[in-house]
Amino acid sequence: MSHDPNLRHAAALANTVGQIGCVTGIVALVIIGVAFAAGWYLDDFLGNERRIFTVIFMLASFPLTLFAMVRISLLILARANRTVEQLNKEDKDKTAS
C-alpha cells in the first residue's frame, strides 16, 4: 500500500462508500421482499382479492427501509472514522520515530 497518507485516507473512504452502497441496497431489497411476501401470503390466507395487506405492508416497508439505511450508514461511517483515526495515529507514530 502507498505511504502517501492522503491516498490511504481516500482509499479508506472509497471502501466505506462501497460498503454502504452494497449493504443498504441488499437490506432494502430484503425488507421490501419480506413485506411483499408477508402481505401476499396474508392476503392469500384470508382470501382478499384486492391485496390490501400487500399494499399496506409495501407502504409500511418504505419508512422502515429508510430507517434501516440511515442506521446502517451511520454504523459503517463510525467504523470508517475509527479506521481513519487509526491511520492518522500510525502516520504520526511514523513521523515521530
Side-chain angles (χ1 to χ4, degrees):
M1 186 165 198
S2 174
H3 295 292
D4 183 17
N6 291 332
L7 186 60
R8 291 176 65 194
H9 293 149
L13 292 176
N15 184 21
T16 301
V17 170
Q19 286 178 1
I20 290 172
C22 290
V23 171
T24 57
I26 291 169
V27 168
L29 287 174
V30 168
I31 291 172
I32 293 169
V34 167
F36 180 78
W40 192 272
Y41 174 77
L42 193 57
D43 281 330
D44 195 39
F45 181 74
L46 296 175
N48 293 336
E49 294 295 322
R50 301 184 81 188
R51 302 288 180 202
I52 190 70
F53 285 109
T54 303
V55 171
I56 291 171
F57 283 15
M58 289 299 292
L59 289 174
S61 73
F62 293 118
L64 180 62
T65 300
L66 290 175
F67 176 77
M69 291 171 110
V70 168
R71 295 301 299 167
I72 290 169
S73 297
L74 291 175
L75 177 71
I76 293 175
L77 280 175
R79 187 182 319 155
N81 283 338
R82 285 193 303 268
T83 303
V84 169
E85 288 173 2
Q86 182 180 8
L87 288 173
N88 286 338
K89 184 180 177 191
E90 289 174 4
D91 290 340
K92 287 180 183 177
D93 289 345
K94 284 182 182 179
T95 58
S97 300

